[in-house]
Amino acid sequence: MDTPAKTSSAVPPRAGVGLKAAHYTPILEQHPDIGWFEIHAENYMGAGGPPHRYLEAIRRDYPLSLHGVGLSIGADKPLDQDHLIRLKRLNERYQPGLFSEHLAWSTHDEFFFNDLLPVPYTQEALARCADHIDQVQETLGRQMLLENPSTYVTFEDSSMSEIEFLRSLSERTGCGLLLDVNNVFVSATNHGYSPEDYLDAFPIERVGEIHLGGHARDQDDAGAPLLIDAHDRAVADPVWMLYARVIGRSGNLPTLIEWDNELPSWQELFAEAQAADAILLQDPPEQQHVAR
Amino acid sequence: MSLAELQSGFIASLRTPSAAAPESLAAPAGMRPNRRFNVYRNNVVVSLIEALRSSFPVVERLVGEEFFKATARAYIDHEPPRSPLMFQYGETFGSFLDAFPPAASVPYLGDVARLEFARLTAYHAQDRAAIALTHLSTLPPEQLGGAEFQLHPSLTLLTSRWPVFSLWAASSEQQSAQDVNLDTGEDVIVIRPEYDVDVRCLPSGGYGFLRALQGGASLGEAAEQATQTTENFNLAHHLEGLFGLGAVCAVELRNSKQ
């Protein structure tokens, strides 16, 4: 049933973009020079149909990264076994070079809240997330990358920093990290800390992938700026600056342009990827970085 | 506070638009972070409204954007998703609309929603190759009456007391649904044999005939029923249409089944 992929699984340390149905045709017609594509796993969990046909065609020519948005790793309740099995099947079918999920939760009781809700940085949450990540890695038989969140609130009970929490999870479970630079900028602005300090303290040796995306601006209860992780526009200039700083420290890493809402034309999205490639290609190849 | 308590409290506030931000949240500058918390509430509702808009574009066109959003909000509150697969969300939107008092003046809305959900289901359904009508001529003629049809996995049949196909077709082609005569009902077949979802209005007798086949009746039994309930039921004509749509994937002869 499955067509063997012609292209190697490995995601190169170049720019890629989030794959959108609206761009299937230009991609297959133009065969752009782009390093890889990332898919939202949940969009390909149907039994068949055009999504799988297009994805198979694109996978023949490009490496793929599988990015889950619905696993709810930070939930107190056990992971959804059916969902885990669906992820395992997708992983086997498309052999993505990378698999990632979020430090967030989105399920409660029998309901799914279609957003990435924030996790308190407590010992109890750390243990629960670690168990869930162990379970994911065992089921899929591979390492996963865990993405730092963008947050709008913090919890009274939090007893450690976000970086300590992520580092501990990575050390306990062996998972890698996905560093979303836009999320760092959004959270740093929202909670009043320095994004540079955060990035400099981030366990960069555990990072296997970077995300870049656009954000919207709002105001909080005191009238202070509140940034929203909207993925509905181009990457902001300060985020590009932070990205260049990260790459200067880490060496080249697979870098995703995320644009999920108010979709641009394929050309505009491709241009964003080329802008990331321009920063990556300044790095000499021997600095290329391998996540472990 | 345990993680379980914290998450229950978070969700309780999330689902109550008038509620203050949960007690578990830190209060920067001594202020309850109501606006901050509201980002989550808003993200959940807006993303689900968007999911429903993309799944039910014709319903939205029929009632207008503002009415659709208000209706979607009520539905989301009444029936939040139970799965992270957004293309499965809205299965009950049709029955919700049937019973939604503000939509009472648009009584066909629920049927249009069911048609749109059938399209979405067809789009993501299992793939399977269809067989051609000529396949029937390879079978022993005396056994055809006992033949059972395996229909395409993407196929859905709908029957409506409203002209649901005409309403859907007029609205999806950006024409006005105003001119559609509401006096007659229509039956619809939705199917995706290859890339594109096909929506067709069934000729008289077609719905009952196909329902019988779908329910496991043999060709002879289904045709017999259709002949009794439909005047001038033309079996050859219906078979041509059915195979022409790519709706038949296999034919099993009863006496040859193991």
Side-chain angles (χ1 to χ4, degrees):
Chain A
M1 175 179 86
D2 300 346
T3 317
K6 285 184 197 153
T7 301
S8 129
S9 291
V11 172
R14 287 190 56 185
V17 299
L19 182 61
K20 298 290 154 192
H23 299 145
Y24 288 150
T25 306
I27 291 165
L28 289 170
E29 282 176 5
Q30 297 168 28
H31 198 79
D33 176 22
I34 192 165
W36 51 286
F37 290 98
E38 183 158 287
I39 58 164
H40 283 179
E42 286 72 13
N43 292 341
Y44 295 88
M45 288 183 171
H52 287 291
R53 294 185 186 203
Y54 284 111
L55 184 57
E56 276 176 2
I58 288 168
R59 175 68 185 92
R60 268 178 226 125
D61 296 337
Y62 297 95
L64 202 65
S65 164
L66 184 63
H67 187 54
V69 297
L71 197 51
S72 202
I73 281 175
D76 179 58
K77 303 271 171 60
L79 295 180
D80 176 348
Q81 275 302 318
D82 293 342
H83 197 64
L84 208 45
I85 296 302
R86 289 192 290 258
L87 274 175
K88 179 182 161 74
R89 294 213 181 104
L90 266 183
N91 182 53
E92 285 165 356
R93 179 166 180 179
Y94 291 104
Q95 303 187 3
L98 296 168
F99 168 65
S100 52
E101 250 286 357
H102 299 85
L103 175 58
W105 57 292
S106 48
T107 53
H108 193 73
D109 295 331
E110 70 272 40
F111 297 122
F112 176 74
F113 298 92
N114 195 32
D115 193 34
L116 300 165
L117 303 176
V119 173
Y121 299 137
T122 63
Q123 290 297 339
E124 187 194 7
L126 182 69
R128 198 61 42 90
C129 289
D131 286 348
H132 289 164
I133 292 168
D134 284 342
Q135 198 186 345
V136 173
Q137 295 187 134
E138 276 166 31
T139 306
L140 269 62
R142 68 176 301 163
Q143 186 193 41
M144 66 166 281
L145 305 178
L146 185 69
E147 178 175 342
N148 61 295
S150 54
T151 57
Y152 313 107
V153 299
T154 56
F155 292 95
E156 287 286 356
D157 283 357
S158 286
S159 58
M160 66 190 100
S161 72
E162 184 169 290
I163 288 182
E164 284 173 87
F165 195 88
L166 287 165
R167 185 196 295 275
S168 300
L169 275 177
S170 179
E171 285 170 357
R172 277 200 201 187
T173 66
C175 77
L177 298 174
L178 190 167
L179 174 56
D180 187 318
V181 179
N182 181 59
N183 286 355
V184 171
F185 185 69
V186 164
S187 294
T189 305
N190 292 348
H191 305 307
Y193 56 79
S194 151
E196 289 86 359
D197 290 354
Y198 180 104
L199 288 171
D200 292 349
F202 203 85
I204 202 79
E205 70 286 355
R206 309 198 81 100
V207 174
E209 180 184 340
I210 291 183
H211 275 186
L212 300 172
H215 57 257
R217 280 184 169 271
D218 200 349
Q219 286 189 341
D220 81 349
D221 303 83
L226 187 67
L227 302 187
I228 316 285
D229 181 34
H231 295 183
D232 61 349
R233 63 195 76 192
V235 177
D237 287 345
V239 174
W240 281 121
M241 303 285 285
L242 293 171
Y243 172 60
R245 181 188 183 101
V246 169
I247 293 300
R249 189 175 155 222
S250 67
N252 287 352
L253 283 168
T255 300
L256 181 82
I257 305 294
E258 284 188 300
W259 198 326
D260 298 317
N261 302 306
E262 310 287 336
L263 284 191
S265 69
W266 167 251
Q267 287 311 326
E268 195 179 347
L269 184 60
F270 185 43
E272 285 278 280
Q274 288 175 310
D277 263 339
I279 291 172
L280 287 167
L281 298 174
Q282 288 172 1
D283 249 30
E286 58 270 21
Q287 280 189 23
Q288 284 185 6
H289 166 100
V290 180
R292 54 186 94 250
Chain B
M1 188 184 293
S2 73
L3 186 59
E5 288 165 342
L6 181 146
Q7 294 189 341
S8 291
F10 196 98
I11 292 297
S13 295
L14 192 78
R15 294 196 67 186
T16 313
S18 58
E23 290 298 312
S24 58
L25 300 185
M31 299 178 80
R32 290 306 311 152
N34 291 326
R35 277 184 70 95
R36 288 168 170 265
F37 180 71
N38 215 31
V39 174
Y40 294 105
R41 203 182 261 144
N42 197 51
N43 281 353
V44 170
V45 172
V46 170
S47 71
L48 292 176
I49 290 176
E50 281 308 307
L52 291 170
R53 283 183 74 188
S54 83
S55 298
F56 299 96
V58 173
V59 171
E60 185 186 14
R61 230 169 275 143
L62 284 168
V63 298
E65 190 180 331
E66 286 314 306
F67 189 91
F68 185 86
K69 278 187 181 167
T71 306
R73 247 172 227 278
Y75 177 67
I76 291 160
D77 186 48
H78 178 257
E79 185 96 30
R82 286 159 196 267
S83 157
L85 309 192
M86 279 302 111
F87 60 82
Q88 292 179 352
Y89 185 48
E91 189 175 6
T92 56
F93 194 43
S95 50
F96 176 81
L97 291 171
D98 290 341
F100 187 54
S105 63
V106 204
Y108 47 79
L109 216 50
D111 283 351
V112 174
R114 277 181 280 273
L115 191 159
E116 293 203 281
F117 194 76
R119 291 188 78 237
L120 196 62
T121 306
Y123 186 78
H124 290 280
Q126 185 73 50
D127 295 299
R128 195 171 171 191
I131 57 173
L133 181 59
T134 50
H135 179 78
L136 291 187
S137 62
T138 66
L139 303 173
E142 69 281 6
Q143 291 184 25
L144 273 182
E148 283 181 21
F149 284 20
Q150 285 182 19
L151 301 181
H152 198 274
S154 69
L155 183 149
T156 300
L157 301 168
L158 297 161
T159 183
S160 173
R161 56 179 287 219
W162 305 102
V164 63
F165 175 82
S166 302
L167 287 162
W168 174 81
S171 303
S172 51
E173 284 158 20
Q174 316 272 350
Q175 298 165 3
S176 169
Q178 307 270 327
D179 305 333
V180 175
N181 176 356
L182 295 177
D183 291 345
T184 42
E186 284 175 350
D187 300 329
V188 177
I189 180 170
V190 180
I191 186 168
R192 182 193 51 78
E194 291 290 333
Y195 275 83
D196 298 321
V197 180
D198 221 340
V199 180
R200 301 289 179 94
C201 194
L202 286 166
S204 176
Y207 179 79
F209 176 60
L210 292 181
R211 278 304 285 233
L213 288 179
Q214 200 177 36
S218 70
L219 180 59
E221 290 159 353
E224 174 65 26
Q225 270 180 40
T227 308
Q228 280 169 15
T229 52
T230 310
E231 217 174 308
N232 301 324
F233 181 81
N234 183 332
L235 178 61
H237 177 67
H238 282 268
L239 285 177
E240 217 168 278
L242 190 59
F243 279 86
L245 282 173
V248 184
C249 296
V251 176
E252 285 181 27
L253 298 179
R254 272 189 181 166
N255 53 5
S256 69
K257 278 205 281 187
Q258 299 296 308

